[in-house]
Amino acid sequence: MLLKVLMIVRSTFYTAKGGDTVQVLQTAAHLIKMNVDVQISLTNEIINYSQYNLLHFFNISRPADIMFHVKRSGKPFVVSTIFINYSEFDQYHRQGFSGRLFRLLSYDGIEYIKTISRWMLGRDSLMSISYLWQGQQRSVKALLAKAAIILPNSYSEYLRLVEAYHCTADYQVVPNGIDPGLFFNVQAEPRDPLMVICVARIEGIKNQLNIIRALNNTKYKLLLIGNAAPNQPEYYNECKRIAAPNIQFIGQLTQPELVKYYGKAAVHVLPSWFETTGLSSLEAAVMGCNIVISNRGDTVDYFEDLVLYCDPSSPKSIFDAVDKAANNPFNIKLQKKILEQYTWQQATIATLQAYERIKKVWA
């Protein structure tokens, strides 16, 4: 029986691209190669559910996007949870009225306010009106209880779901990955020992402000590659305002365009306030960059002791880690581990295994 899967993604999936965009597109493409019929729909599109055996959602932190389709379709579903905890940034480092408000709220309260705000400002859809009275925490708990299986990006992520929501759902770890056909270390030109790059959307959670503070007016040339998050233009403007002449803003690049930067830079730095993985760090590591990454989130599950960690709250910690990484030899062990364990092929095999584990509900 040919499995027909519909992947349902956030309404801003194509207009505000992020790591989930890469994850979905790569997983879908590889599943098709494995003879699975896969389609992708935005959550606010009209869907004929009868064509599909299984629905696959992404981002458990956006339950309003999911609830509508679960209720209306009656179909079994899985969730790639991508459970990011924004609360440290939101409560302690976000500026203005929202920062003052978020200091009074829990993580789930903050996510509820964000969801309602995006809807009221016309930046996103609110698919499930019942979300208004159910709230964030109850909505997430209900989805985790109903899912046929959940697909966290690491065991660490699963443990956080258990702690936050007393989750008892069946799970299978599906790691993030890279495309080894695109990202591989072929050194065509000398690497610049003073070039440092950060590939990420420019927004508070990714912490570019503290990277700039760390590297301003140093010997290093910092290239920030990524567009401003559409709902945080003031953050981008502040980054531009404080940046010294040794800081460059490149804008968003396609994955093929990233190759030359990964191949030229000495260090890739991503000192986020929280990371489930740090997808660009995987790509950069395979391409020969030494890696500096946040010590917050699930990063140790992927990178173990093969990278340098920094405290995202400390520009000094970020600088010291970058400086050390720039002077270290490249760690071939990390490249080998990624190519063996963290490719989209491996991630898709794990996804298909999860589908097979719940075959009785969709067959």
Side-chain angles (χ1 to χ4, degrees), residues 273-326:
W273 294 106
F274 198 95
E275 280 294 344
T276 56
T277 308
L279 182 55
S280 59
S281 296
L282 291 176
E283 296 167 351
V286 161
M287 287 291 298
C289 296
N290 281 337
I291 302 300
V292 173
I293 199 164
S294 173
N295 62 10
R296 310 290 208 271
D298 308 312
T299 52
V300 175
D301 270 29
Y302 281 80
F303 297 100
E304 299 177 314
D305 61 351
L306 303 174
V307 299
L308 288 165
Y309 294 92
C310 65
D311 177 354
S313 69
S314 168
K316 182 180 186 306
S317 174
I318 296 169
F319 175 81
D320 289 346
V322 167
D323 195 45
K324 186 173 182 180

Side-chain angles (χ1 to χ4, degrees), residues 87-106 110:
S87 59
E88 182 176 6
F89 169 73
D90 285 332
Q91 292 176 324
Y92 302 109
H93 304 284
R94 189 182 283 274
Q95 301 299 310
F97 172 76
S98 58
R100 294 191 295 274
L101 173 63
F102 290 166
R103 280 188 275 280
L104 304 174
L105 300 175
S106 67
I110 292 169

Side-chain angles (χ1 to χ4, degrees), residues 185 187 191-193 195-198 220 261-270 280-293 303 305-309 321-335 338:
N185 185 23
Q187 198 63 43
R191 200 170 288 275
D192 183 342
M195 181 185 287
V196 179
I197 61 172
C198 172
Y220 294 105
Y261 291 94
Y262 287 145
K264 182 78 171 173
V267 178
H268 182 272
V269 56
L270 192 64
S280 59
S281 296
L282 291 176
E283 296 167 351
V286 161
M287 287 291 298
C289 296
N290 281 337
I291 302 300
V292 173
I293 199 164
F303 297 100
D305 61 351
L306 303 174
V307 299
L308 288 165
Y309 294 92
V322 167
D323 195 45
K324 186 173 182 180
N327 290 284
N328 279 353
F330 174 62
N331 193 333
I332 194 73
K333 289 182 181 178
L334 178 57
Q335 184 187 58
I338 294 169

